[in-house]
Amino acid sequence: MDFIAGAIGGGLSTAVGYPLDTVKVRIQTERHYNGIWHCIQETYRTEKVWGFYKGVSASVLTVSAISSVSFGAYRNFLCTICKLRYGAADVKPSKLDVSLAGGAAGAVRVMLMTPSEVAKVRMQTQKNPHPSVTSPQPVSKPKYRGSLHCLKVIAKEEGLGGLYKGCSALLCRDCSSSAIYFLTYSALCDWLTPTGKNKPGFLVVLISGGFAGVVAWGLATPMDVIKSRMQTDESDQQKYKGLIHCARESVRKEGAKVLFKGLGLNCIRAFPANMVVFVTYEAVLRFTDHYTK
């Protein structure tokens, strides 16, 4: 049931946070925006509301699958660690156990999600003027007609390696942030749940999930910037040779502050999105526990 609960929570959270995710990606990868509000205004002016939802259908499906794997893998890794360390899967895990299971779940997720992340970022940064926006020059057809078409084009032009661009940065981002994510959630639930109660209340779940998302994205933002830049780097105009080169060039040209582009947006988006993830996850698990006993 962890897999199903994770899938539902992941899909709902993506639908909630996607517009801000689009703005975040554009700010991280393009230098001509003066800030969040300028990016929002420009996107709406040229592409209207649809501009904020490019690639959302594929993203909801893939994030649902990936969230399912993430939560399922986390629970299975945690049970395995507890069995190895304490001889039983149902004992209360230590904070180290939670962190190790979270980091391992992050690594598993990366292997599955990198191609969809590349397609998402390419779609989000592709400009398609809305038909109502007048332009003196004829509008060229978009290179990518949709997420699946985007994946096909990347595979054809850049090979299998193109589908896994930014994988190293994504691995660094998700292993550390996933460990912090589950650790923060677990610690806050323990702290906020009154003594004697077996499970945290839904208000505690909402607060803990929201703050877990904020803390995790606060840690993840620098690698998120590098990941986004590497994934928009197409083969015919390649700028970056790898993770270190991308980080060095980005800092050299724009200063260390470039690594924190989109930090505010990541945190703003993370709170409601991860409230939805965890409250849905817990609700589905409790619902099934109630009707299967």
Side-chain angles (χ1 to χ4, degrees), residues 79-141:
C79 288
T80 302
I81 289 169
C82 288
K83 276 183 182 177
L84 290 172
R85 292 193 68 188
Y86 314 114
D90 56 353
V91 299
K92 186 173 177 59
S94 70
K95 298 296 184 280
L96 176 61
D97 300 332
V98 172
S99 299
L100 289 172
V108 171
R109 187 172 67 217
V110 168
M111 295 302 107
L112 297 174
M113 76 184 292
T114 304
S116 67
E117 272 285 306
V118 174
K120 177 181 78 73
V121 168
R122 295 279 179 95
M123 288 294 294
Q124 287 175 324
T125 53
Q126 178 175 257
K127 303 295 190 301
N128 304 121
H130 192 270
S132 65
V133 179
T134 57
S135 173
Q137 296 182 354
V139 178
S140 59
K141 285 186 179 181

Side-chain angles (χ1 to χ4, degrees), residues 31-80:
R31 298 177 65 179
H32 65 269
Y33 294 119
N34 298 327
I36 295 170
W37 186 241
H38 180 235
C39 181
I40 292 171
Q41 285 179 312
E42 282 297 297
T43 300
Y44 182 76
R45 184 180 66 81
T46 57
E47 300 168 79
K48 302 305 178 190
V49 174
W50 176 241
F52 297 99
Y53 286 93
K54 283 181 175 176
V56 68
S57 55
S59 188
V60 166
L61 292 173
T62 52
V63 170
S64 292
I66 289 159
S67 183
S68 167
V69 169
S70 181
F71 276 87
Y74 165 72
R75 181 59 59 186
N76 280 284
F77 277 126
L78 192 59
C79 288
T80 302

Side-chain angles (χ1 to χ4, degrees), residues 28 221-223 225-226 247 250-251 255-261 263:
Q28 288 178 340
T221 296
M223 276 299 159
V225 174
I226 302 305
S250 297
V251 171
K257 65 181 181 180
V258 70
L259 298 176
F260 297 94
K261 274 190 170 183
L263 174 61

Side-chain angles (χ1 to χ4, degrees), residues 155-172:
K156 182 180 178 182
E157 294 182 353
E158 304 171 45
L160 187 63
L163 296 175
Y164 281 87
K165 271 191 174 175
C167 185
S168 55
L170 199 55
L171 198 61
C172 292

